[in-house]
Amino acid sequence: MPVFPEEPEIHESLPGPGVPFPRESDAQALHAPATGGAPATASTTTTTAAAPLPVPGPRPAPPRAAPPRADRQGPPRLIPKPGPAPRRPAPATPQVEVQRIAATPAQALERADDAVDRLLDSGRNPGDVLVLTVGEAHPWQQHELSFGEECYWAQLTEGGDVFYADAALTRPVRREVVVLVVNGGSAARAAEAYGAALGRATALLVVCGEAGPAVAAAAGAAPGRPVKA
């Protein structure tokens, strides 16, 4: 019977120089029992670089409301009916102040001239004063008429000075201050002149003498002092 030489035993030993030391996982894989899967083999772990994150773009604008279509009709708009226009209050009639100066017909012209001087001294414009006489014409009126009626009425149109006229003046003249001089005439004519002079004054009427409604305070007033009506 032939004799076969004994096979030498293979003992595990440390790897020689130049041979890498086996990893523990490799050793475990060699000694692990075989299963139905593929044998475990050593593999080199590969690191994959992460992909760059996408840069976010601008946010989209909010959706705009679609314009109304011509074929879409909403509910009809109710137009309010115009109501009656509000009534405006009537302009208030300016209140004319009435002052009375007690005087006889013979004193009326002198009292009137004094009243005109006081008005001008207080700052009144001469063109704002109108002097009306019930009796005889004022001397200044006679003086202006001596130059002719054309020059006389031109002075009224210019309105730069005190104007003297008869109380029965028919021209439409209105001035801020009217001085009524009762230097003669009847009581009826004086009453009529008072009403006309009151309509021509826009701020103040000065009555020199007895004319218009009676005032109780006028009887006891000192001559030459104005008394409010």
Side-chain angles (χ1 to χ4, degrees):
M1 178 174 181
V3 178
F4 297 95
E6 295 181 359
E7 296 181 359
E9 294 182 1
I10 300 173
H11 300 279
E12 295 180 1
S13 61
L14 295 177
V19 180
F21 194 85
R23 291 179 295 181
E24 184 179 357
S25 59
D26 296 341
Q28 292 178 357
L30 293 174
H31 293 282
T35 59
T41 57
S43 62
T44 304
T45 303
T46 305
T47 303
T48 305
L53 298 176
V55 179
R59 296 183 178 180
R64 297 183 179 179
R69 293 173 52 183
D71 56 348
R72 295 182 181 179
Q73 297 181 357
R77 298 178 59 185
L78 300 178
I79 301 176
K81 296 182 179 180
R87 294 183 178 180
R88 296 182 178 180
T93 303
Q95 186 69 26
V96 178
E97 181 183 0
V98 179
Q99 294 181 358
R100 292 180 177 273
I101 298 177
T104 63
Q107 299 171 336
L109 282 176
E110 183 181 356
R111 299 291 185 264
D113 291 340
D114 293 340
V116 172
D117 291 339
R118 287 193 297 269
L119 290 170
L120 299 180
D121 292 341
S122 65
R124 294 280 186 178
N125 189 350
D128 295 336
V129 180
L130 173 65
V131 179
L132 301 176
T133 54
V134 178
E136 187 180 0
H138 194 281
W140 274 109
Q141 179 184 358
Q142 299 176 18
H143 174 71
E144 297 296 338
L145 284 173
S146 64
F147 296 99
E149 289 193 2
E150 184 178 354
C151 294
Y152 172 74
W153 294 115
Q155 183 185 9
L156 175 62
T157 305
E158 293 172 0
D161 202 353
V162 180
F163 189 76
Y164 297 84
D166 190 275
L169 180 66
T170 57
R171 298 202 177 192
V173 180
R174 297 196 69 188
R175 288 200 174 182
E176 186 175 340
V177 181
V178 175
V179 179
L180 180 62
V181 186
V182 187
N183 58 339
S186 63
R189 188 170 188 270
E192 183 181 356
Y194 175 86
L198 186 62
R200 296 183 185 277
T202 60
L204 176 63
L205 171 62
V206 181
V207 181
C208 300
E210 297 295 332
V215 180
R225 300 299 299 176
V227 178
K228 293 184 178 181

